[in-house]
Amino acid sequence: MLTLDPRTLDRLAEVIVDIGGPYERKGYQLEVLLHHAKWENPPEYDGSPRIPWLRDELEARQDHDGELERLLCRVCDPIEYDDGAASADEFRTVINEKLASEQLVVTLVSGRPVLGTLAPDGHQATFAEPPDLKQRLESLIADQQTVEVLMGRIEETRICVSGGAYRMATIGIGTFIEGLLLAVLLERDADLRANGFPDVRQRVQADGRAKKRSSADRVSLELLIDTAYVKKWVQLDATAFAHAVRDFRNFIHPRKEVTEQPRFDADTVMLCWGPVQALLNDLEQNVPPLPSDVSESSADPVTVTIT
């Protein structure tokens, strides 16, 4: 969970409400903002002074997985404002001033706001494994066995990083994304479970025929990313970054490494964690609730196989 000092919460509430400023938010606008940040059961404004009301809500939601982080990112998201980046950049500058004492910073990863940690020099954003990752997975994936498999990938990635095996760490992050997307897609789409994955980009083979559907056992990470994008569960920029992580994952093939001769280091791993955070944020905001036949049935869980 993201836990901030009470004085930081005070300052953030003042910035977001902006009483008397050019971006002042009325009570109903605060409600809309919390809804846009995908808070679970967002509160109704009760007519009390807005800054203390929002500050209390921020404090209460620190125990809710990812909600405070999503709100900070939403306040800095160009999509929230009619003039796009102009207003978002102003908010991001001021929000980051308030977060500096917490060694946190909202930065843009391919156009999307992501919460990162300030580097020791106090200027550059760094990314690490998202906090409360298991809880966030459990909110997205019903099958507990799949969650445990994915967390096993994360644990092995941690071991790789601590031992300096950065190549294998980036490959591990790529397989984590593969398993996450496969589980989310299969659990929520009965057609994909029954019939496999269609070629959503409508590419054709050399003989001019459309490609056949890919079974869940053989679907590529590329197709998983594209399918989530076509469903509008992840946005274009998060999709582009996920494809970049996919390319790192493909260095599992020695021939690719011999041909391209990449350099793997701690920065490579850090750059892969940023897209994971952006992907999680998009999924948490956009995926529909699990259907009851998946979330309530324990007789036939949707367990995915990660290759």
Side-chain angles (χ1 to χ4, degrees), residues 87-128:
S87 295
D89 287 347
E90 287 193 43
F91 268 105
R92 187 159 56 89
T93 297
V94 181
I95 289 287
N96 284 339
E97 290 175 358
K98 311 307 178 187
L99 291 175
S101 60
E102 306 276 358
Q103 294 299 300
L104 296 172
V105 60
V106 178
T107 189
L108 297 182
V109 176
S110 193
R112 293 300 312 285
V114 176
L115 187 67
T117 303
L118 281 174
D121 62 10
H123 297 290
Q124 184 179 4
T126 64
F127 301 103

Side-chain angles (χ1 to χ4, degrees), residues 171-188:
I171 292 171
I173 294 173
T175 66
F176 170 82
I177 289 178
E178 177 184 351
L180 169 64
L181 289 176
L182 183 60
V184 170
L185 287 163
L186 288 180
E187 287 191 345
R188 286 166 174 78

Side-chain angles (χ1 to χ4, degrees), residues 211-224:
K211 289 188 175 181
K212 296 180 179 179
R213 286 191 173 219
S214 300
S215 70
D217 291 335
R218 300 184 63 85
V219 62
S220 67
L221 178 53
E222 179 182 21
L223 184 52
L224 291 172

Side-chain angles (χ1 to χ4, degrees), residues 146-184:
T146 299
V147 172
E148 294 299 331
V149 168
L150 291 176
M151 289 307 301
R153 299 292 171 113
I154 293 299
E155 179 58 33
E156 292 180 4
T157 297
R158 295 170 185 155
I159 294 171
C160 289
V161 172
S162 65
Y166 302 121
R167 174 191 300 101
M168 300 310 295
T170 60
I171 292 171
I173 294 173
T175 66
F176 170 82
I177 289 178
E178 177 184 351
L180 169 64
L181 289 176
L182 183 60
V184 170

Side-chain angles (χ1 to χ4, degrees), residues 1-45:
M1 69 187 69
L2 178 61
T3 303
L4 301 178
D5 186 271
R7 290 294 292 128
T8 302
L9 296 177
D10 292 340
R11 298 178 183 115
L12 290 172
E14 292 173 0
V15 171
I16 294 170
V17 177
D18 194 32
I19 288 183
Y23 301 106
E24 181 173 355
R25 287 181 167 96
K26 305 299 183 184
Y28 75 91
Q29 292 172 316
L30 293 174
E31 290 183 7
V32 171
L33 177 65
L34 300 181
H35 177 76
H36 286 169
K38 298 298 181 181
W39 277 23
E40 183 179 359
N41 299 319
E44 295 182 2
Y45 175 59

